[in-house]
């Protein structure tokens, strides 16, 4: 891999955005190769956050004190994985990317009522492999130019924590994307971007200074129509587990349905992975592929 040092130095944000989009759109792995060869993801969205944005400290209260700040994540990587104990005093940035699910896959999942389409199932597993490959690609570009970088979601220190209200992890890709101005949260806990909530996402922390993307949302739920004007709630009607109500998302009920309610689906032809996935709440809803417009229909829980 040969990074263009001049391009990176001249406009690092533009360079990285271009590289991320090119990696996804031109990658032969961005195909449902076991089905019909159609794309897994459409053109990515890219945003940047200040690694010392106070939001990351707030996440220790919102998510849990175990959630890492970007500085803690990079320091952990240097110390635990590279055995480097140097102080980390300079500026940090977070590179966040959103990979929107391809339209054909979304259409296939709209027709489902109890579990995902085969295309959605393959997107969950092959798509995540692509997300991780993209993170490694971004890290390699940065490290080639002597910048430190780590993808916390795929690092050796990444782990999940079992809480009373469900599983959480030491690094939330969605919360990193929120800090990078890429969207807001919905009733289902999904992340609603300008390309909707049917997507996968990833991030990289680096000591390359990047301009922060604007955070233009009036609240952390601004893109969800239920929270913004009291309408919608269709994700709740789509959930076969009954895990989404007016009160929010029951992560335990959702997880139980994924691992137990859909366990027999592993025997169905074409399905892969350690669990089947679902995604019904992300399709056949107004926020599937965009920020929804307002309508005059109120949600009755």
């Amino acid at each position: 891999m040969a990074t263009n040092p001049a391009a990176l130095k001249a406009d690092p944000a533009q360079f990285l955005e271009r590289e991320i989009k090119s990696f996804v759109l031109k990658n032969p792995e961005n195909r449902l190769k076991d089905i019909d060869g159609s794309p897994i993801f459409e053109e990515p969205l890219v945003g940047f956050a200040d690694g010392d944005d106070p939001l990351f400290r707030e996440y220790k209260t919102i998510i849990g004190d175990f959630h890492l700040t970007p500085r803690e994540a990079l320091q952990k990587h240097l110390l635990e994985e590279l055995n480097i104990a140097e102080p980390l005093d300079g500026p940090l940035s977070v590179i966040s990317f959103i990979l929107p699910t391809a339209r054909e896959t979304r259409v296939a999942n709209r027709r489902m009522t109890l579990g995902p389409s085969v295309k959605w199932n393959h997107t969950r597993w092959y798509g995540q492999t692509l997300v991780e490959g993209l993170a490694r690609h971004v890290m390699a570009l940065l490290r080639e130019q002597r910048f430190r970088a780590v993808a916390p979601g795929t690092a050796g220190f990444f782990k999940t924590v079992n809480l009373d209200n469900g599983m959480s992890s030491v690094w939330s890709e969605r919360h990193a994307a929120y800090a990078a101005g890429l969207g807001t949260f919905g009733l289902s806990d999904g992340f609603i971007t300008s390309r909707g909530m049917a997507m996968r996402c990833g991030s990289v922390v680096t000591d390359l200074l990047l301009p922060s993307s604007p955070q233009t949302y009036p609240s952390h739920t601004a893109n969800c129509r239920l929270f913004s004007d009291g309408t919608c709630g269709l994700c709740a009607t789509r959930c076969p587990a009954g895990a989404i109500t007016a009160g929010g998302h029951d992560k335990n009920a959702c997880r139980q349905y994924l691992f137990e309610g859909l366990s027999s689906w592993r025997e169905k032809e074409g399905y892969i992975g350690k669990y089947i996935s679902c995604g019904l709440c992300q399709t056949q809803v107004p926020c599937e592929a965009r920020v929804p417009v307002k309508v005059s229909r109120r949600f009755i829980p």
Side-chain angles (χ1 to χ4, degrees), residues 106-156:
R106 291 188 281 106
V107 169
N109 222 47
R110 291 175 194 168
R111 305 186 186 107
M112 306 300 289
T113 57
L114 297 177
S117 67
V118 173
K119 281 192 170 186
W120 187 276
N121 166 257
H122 281 228
T123 291
R124 163 63 183 90
W125 297 105
Y126 289 124
Q128 183 58 31
T129 298
L130 186 66
V131 168
E132 294 170 7
L134 173 56
R136 288 193 296 270
H137 176 68
V138 172
M139 287 189 290
L141 290 172
L142 294 165
R143 291 170 179 173
E144 186 178 323
Q145 298 305 313
R146 307 299 183 188
F147 294 105
R148 294 164 170 167
V150 65
T154 62

Side-chain angles (χ1 to χ4, degrees), residues 50-61 63-81 84 86-94 149-153 155-158 169-172 205-207:
D50 181 346
D52 292 314
D53 188 314
L55 269 173
F56 290 108
R57 281 284 169 192
E58 292 179 31
Y59 293 160
K60 287 185 174 292
T61 300
I63 300 172
D65 58 5
F66 53 83
H67 192 273
L68 300 172
T69 66
R71 192 165 295 276
E72 290 170 337
L74 187 53
Q75 192 72 71
K76 264 186 172 292
H77 167 67
L78 294 174
L79 185 59
E80 297 179 9
E81 300 179 17
I84 297 175
E86 298 174 9
L88 195 61
D89 298 326
L92 295 183
S93 302
V94 179
V150 65
F157 58 75
F158 180 83
S169 61
V170 299
W171 181 261
S172 168
V205 177
T206 179
D207 58 0

Side-chain angles (χ1 to χ4, degrees), residues 255-264:
R255 181 178 175 82
Q256 183 177 14
Y257 188 75
L258 288 179
F259 283 88
E260 298 177 19
L262 291 175
S263 60
S264 64

